Amino acid sequence: MRTRPLKVALLGCGVVGSEVARIMTTHADDLTQRIGAPVELAGVAVRRPSKVREGIDPALITTDATALLERGDIDVVIEVIGGIEPARTLITTAFENGASVVSANKALLAQDGAALHAAAEKHGRDLYYEAAVAGAIPLVRPMRESLAGDKINRVMGIVNGTTNFILDKMDTTGAGYQEALDEATALGYAEADPTADVEGYDAAAKAAILAGIAFHTRVRLDDVYREGMTEVSASDFASAKRMGCTIKLLAILERAADGASVTARVHPAMIPLTHPLASVREAYNAVFVEAEAAGRLMFYGPGAGGSPTASAVLGDLVAVCRNKLAQATGPGESAYTQLPVGTMGEVVTRYHISLDVADKPGVLAQVATTFAEHGVSIDTVRQQGKDGEASLVVVTHRAPDAALTGTVEALRKLDTVRGVASIMRVEGE
């Protein structure tokens, strides 16, 4: 066993970074045995050096991250700063100075993953990012390595714990959106500004990363269709329950039936209560991966938080350190297929549509004709009326999303349709 330690620089020491430092210290002996050499925390770059950080030697703290990376003796850099800059520049600097990188930065990887992979390859270094997608859940490495000999056709799952907590509370307690969000905030699941979570930006970044791995093609954040969950209401959950469903914010990545393109999307959807994702509660994540040979695989666990995310970071640290000792690198970017990324309009899906209509003869026939004119077949329909007003709930068969969108726009123009109360896709069948 090598006695000279591998030196690690930690960029960021917030909730995740501080937990990474703690585990490195308390599990130092175990990490040494698992890696084959001791690992030493050589420096911690932070913005606020005056903050007390329990268990970390103050002598390790610095505000000059660049100088830390340019020392020349750093073997591995752990980046848990988040955001685009200065993280992007610092990761590039780490590669240029001979260090491999472990990152939890989903936003940066979704936007500039190709450039970062290219920089890592140019300098013969590793870029690992298990913690960027689903917290403690091993997902990136199984898809990138364990399923490397298989063909992945579809990935569908819950990849944001905050939104799942909110939707779960709306479902199980009858709470409204704002009430559930307030509870999530009070418990620390939601940020003071929850936009990235509730509008689907966080899930979309993760979807882009997973799609690139699954389909061996480059998928950027801008390629992912994104729809938030702020408009989901108690009436939507009531409709879902009448169908034997619940509502989840899903990331769905698919290879086209002809294999010629891929799509990536994030949006709320109704799923049957019999589907395993329907029972994923609180702030947990779960992801289904469908491969040709392996079939359907489910990955489940805590998707966020200091300890779960730190667990994924440390797993990557062990792998990267082992590679360092072996003078080798792990798998890099695989984008050989160069498949085009299709639009949401090309996706084949189902709709649940609630309409406010006039309660008079011929309305249902008029609505059904509109669906038929756009090539959309109706699966079920339910109508309730009283005092000249009525509600009409239509569930369609699967059709191109563009056709379904066109149908809704045509319905809005009918003089018998007072308004479209809600629209939601139906998945998981």
Side-chain angles (χ1 to χ4, degrees):
M1 179 179 292
R2 170 172 149 169
T3 57
R4 181 167 60 84
L6 293 163
K7 295 192 175 183
V8 178
L10 178 61
L11 308 183
C13 198
V15 174
V16 176
S18 59
E19 188 65 9
V20 168
R22 184 192 68 79
I23 295 173
M24 285 184 65
T25 301
T26 57
H27 295 181
D29 291 341
D30 286 336
L31 290 173
T32 297
Q33 295 299 319
R34 293 167 190 175
I35 292 169
V39 287
E40 174 188 313
L41 189 58
V44 182
V46 299
R47 286 185 299 176
R48 296 184 294 273
S50 59
K51 181 180 177 180
V52 177
R53 294 173 172 85
E54 187 177 347
I56 298 177
D57 183 352
L60 297 177
I61 302 296
T62 179
T63 58
D64 193 340
T66 301
L68 173 61
L69 301 182
E70 291 178 343
R71 280 178 21 176
D73 64 341
I74 300 299
D75 295 292
V76 182
V77 172
I78 297 175
E79 182 272 309
V80 287
I81 300 172
I84 307 302
E85 288 290 358
R88 173 170 50 197
T89 298
L90 292 173
I91 289 175
T92 303
T93 300
F95 292 142
E96 292 170 348
N97 285 272
S100 291
V101 173
V102 172
S103 176
N105 195 331
K106 52 189 170 287
L108 178 58
L109 288 159
Q111 178 173 306
D112 290 321
L116 294 177
H117 276 293
E121 183 177 1
K122 176 183 177 181
H123 296 284
R125 303 303 168 195
D126 275 323
L127 174 61
Y128 275 51
Y129 43 89
E130 185 69 67
V133 174
I137 304 172
L139 184 59
V140 170
R141 203 172 306 157
M143 288 176 60
R144 195 160 70 161
E145 300 179 29
S146 302
L147 296 174
D150 209 337
K151 182 180 180 181
I152 296 175
N153 290 318
R154 195 168 194 259
V155 179
M156 180 174 81
I158 299 162
V159 295
N160 182 278
T162 300
T163 54
N164 199 58
F165 180 90
I166 293 170
L167 292 172
D168 181 46
K169 290 302 174 184
M170 293 176 69
D171 183 26
T172 58
T173 70
Y177 166 75
Q178 189 60 50
E179 183 183 353
L181 173 59
D182 290 343
E183 183 177 355
T185 303
L187 292 172
Y189 292 129
E191 301 287 346
D193 179 0
T195 302
D197 293 322
V198 300
E199 293 295 352
Y201 291 102
D202 175 86
K206 296 170 180 176
I209 294 169
L210 291 176
I213 297 170
F215 305 131
H216 302 278
T217 199
R218 287 177 179 166
V219 179
R220 290 171 53 86
L221 182 58
D222 292 344
D223 295 322
V224 181
Y225 173 84
R226 177 197 55 78
E227 187 180 316
M229 48 152 283
T230 56
E231 299 301 317
V232 176
S233 66
S235 62
D236 290 323
F237 274 102
S239 295
K241 287 181 179 179
R242 281 193 290 269
M243 288 180 61
C245 293
T246 188
I247 299 170
K248 298 292 185 181
L249 184 74
L250 299 178
I252 304 173
L253 325 171
E254 293 178 302
R255 189 189 300 271
D258 62 4
S261 65
V262 298
T263 54
R265 51 192 165 112
V266 169
H267 55 73
M270 293 182 179
I271 58 172
L273 293 174
T274 53
H275 194 284
L277 289 178
S279 62
V280 178
R281 302 297 186 191
E282 299 286 328
Y284 276 74
N285 286 188
V287 178
F288 270 93
V289 177
E290 299 178 17
E292 276 195 0
R296 300 180 74 195
L297 309 172
M298 182 174 175
F299 300 83
Y300 170 84
S307 293
T309 306
S311 172
V313 169
L314 268 295
D316 279 351
L317 175 65
V318 170
V320 169
C321 286
R322 286 172 174 171
N323 290 344
K324 190 85 173 179
L325 292 178
Q327 297 183 336
T329 55
E333 182 188 34
S334 175
Y336 70 91
T337 62
Q338 299 182 9
L339 295 173
V341 182
T343 65
M344 185 63 198
E346 300 170 43
V347 172
V348 177
T349 185
R350 298 179 67 199
Y351 269 26
H352 174 283
I353 306 170
S354 295
L355 304 171
D356 295 326
V357 299
D359 187 13
K360 61 182 184 181
V363 173
L364 180 57
Q366 191 178 33
V367 168
T369 298
T370 302
F371 276 92
E373 289 174 347
H374 287 80
V376 178
S377 176
I378 294 176
D379 182 16
T380 62
V381 61
R382 185 178 71 254
Q383 185 174 10
Q384 294 178 323
K386 184 179 181 181
D387 299 328
E389 298 295 329
S391 63
L392 194 64
V393 178
V394 178
V395 180
T396 72
H397 285 291
R398 290 170 61 82
D401 201 82
L404 289 161
T405 301
T407 303
V408 172
E409 291 306 310
L411 290 170
R412 295 182 193 274
K413 297 175 182 178
L414 297 178
D415 57 5
T416 53
V417 175
R418 309 293 192 224
V420 179
S422 69
I423 306 168
M424 191 163 296
R425 295 175 180 86
V426 182
E427 298 287 346
E429 297 170 290

